[in-house]
Amino acid sequence: LIITIDGPAGSGKSTVARKIAKKLGIIHLNSGALFRAIGLKAKRTGVELDDEGAVARLAAATEFEFVLSPIDEKVGSRDTCLLVDGKDIDEQLGSAEASMLASRIAVQSKLRDVLLRVQRELSLKHSLVVEGRDAGTVVFPNAEFKFYLDADIRVRAERRFAEQQDALDVDAVQAELEARDHRDATREIAPQVAADDATVIDTSELGIDEVVEELCGRIKVASL
Ligand code: DC
């Protein structure tokens, strides 16, 4: 089973994807985290961000492991933990710096090929809830369920501001989101766009649980 959830930053896709994966007891594949991890690793190891070959080689030499936590008996669900080269670097991945680095290198086709392979290999062994920009269009065009979440830019900026520790103010976050949206949506390879067969949901006025319910309802109805 593959469920894809694409959409821009702040559309709610991460939280929704995590919750749905948890409900179904399957792996949450946050593809943005792969780009973020490589962006941070490139910076840390001194790899030139514009050197496509070097960035792709760095990604190919990186080990990504997706580990389902043991069942939490109280709630009866499991979380997915991403290990990068054996380490849980979740906290660093959420920074504004990581998202900017990720967006910069996400235009590179060699890197995208490597990360596409990582995602498809994972799908050979596991059911997945995949979130990203191109999950339903490029990585898993045959996914059973495809969703595209979107929301008003101001609402998205406010959501991001609330969760980013290193953000300065909401206007700065909005400006950064606009720049990132532009780059992600206009790039030649795998741009941020809804698949023709994706269900598009505007989450501007919806709470997370409402979005989760809406998606789960559609998944259930379709599988009856
Ligand atoms: O979803 P996110 O904010 O973690 O993504 C970080 C950046 O990585 C974003 O600017 C776009 C890029 N990205 C991408 O190009 N393709 C993906 N499947 C996921 C993320």
Side-chain angles (χ1 to χ4, degrees):
L1 171 71
I2 306 287
I3 298 167
T4 63
I5 306 181
D6 288 309
S11 59
K13 65 183 187 315
S14 286
T15 317
V16 168
R18 192 180 322 116
K19 287 201 167 203
I20 292 181
K22 217 169 162 168
K23 264 180 189 267
L24 299 175
I26 63 179
I27 287 181
H28 167 212
L29 168 52
N30 176 351
S31 62
L34 309 181
F35 288 90
R36 287 166 183 261
I38 298 304
L40 286 175
K41 189 172 172 182
K43 184 154 184 244
R44 183 168 48 80
T45 57
V47 166
E48 180 52 56
L49 284 179
D50 295 323
D51 184 342
E52 285 208 26
V55 172
R57 280 193 296 280
L58 187 76
T62 301
E63 196 193 341
F64 294 106
E65 230 184 308
F66 298 81
V67 184
L68 275 175
S69 71
I71 288 190
D72 175 340
E73 295 297 345
K74 264 191 238 148
V75 278
S77 59
R78 331 173 63 173
D79 269 316
T80 304
C81 176
L82 167 64
L83 300 180
V84 181
D85 294 327
K87 283 197 207 105
D88 179 349
I89 56 164
D90 220 38
E91 268 178 32
Q92 299 159 49
L93 295 181
S95 68
E97 185 195 23
S99 60
M100 220 43 213
L101 290 168
S103 180
R104 254 187 82 182
I105 58 173
V107 298
Q108 301 174 359
S109 63
K110 286 188 180 132
L111 171 66
R112 298 202 75 90
D113 284 346
V114 173
L115 296 183
L116 181 138
R117 245 180 290 134
V118 168
Q119 297 178 69
R120 289 204 183 143
E121 265 169 32
L122 190 68
S123 76
L124 298 178
K125 292 197 192 133
H126 302 277
S127 288
L128 304 173
V129 177
V130 193
E131 63 158 297
R133 299 295 188 291
D134 58 344
T137 49
V138 177
V139 187
F140 297 111
N142 299 321
E144 282 88 343
F145 299 101
K146 297 183 186 178
F147 299 98
Y148 188 89
L149 305 187
D150 208 346
D152 178 75
I153 179 76
R154 190 66 182 177
V155 173
R156 295 197 282 120
E158 279 163 4
R159 288 175 182 164
R160 264 296 142 104
F161 179 62
E163 58 186 47
Q164 255 174 10
Q165 324 251 296
D166 56 346
L168 296 177
D169 62 67
V170 70
D171 291 330
V173 173
Q174 181 167 334
E176 190 257 343
L177 278 188
E178 278 166 343
R180 205 138 70 86
D181 278 356
H182 180 73
R183 181 159 44 210
D184 294 340
T186 58
R187 67 173 176 234
E188 267 174 43
I189 321 142
Q192 165 183 300
V193 65
D196 289 339
D197 52 351
T199 302
V200 180
I201 297 173
D202 185 329
T203 69
S204 306
E205 308 208 339
L206 298 175
I208 288 294
D209 289 337
E210 287 173 289
V211 182
V212 170
E213 226 170 85
E214 168 82 24
L215 266 59
C216 286
R218 287 172 186 270
I219 293 167
K220 217 180 274 159
V221 168
S223 46
L224 282 179

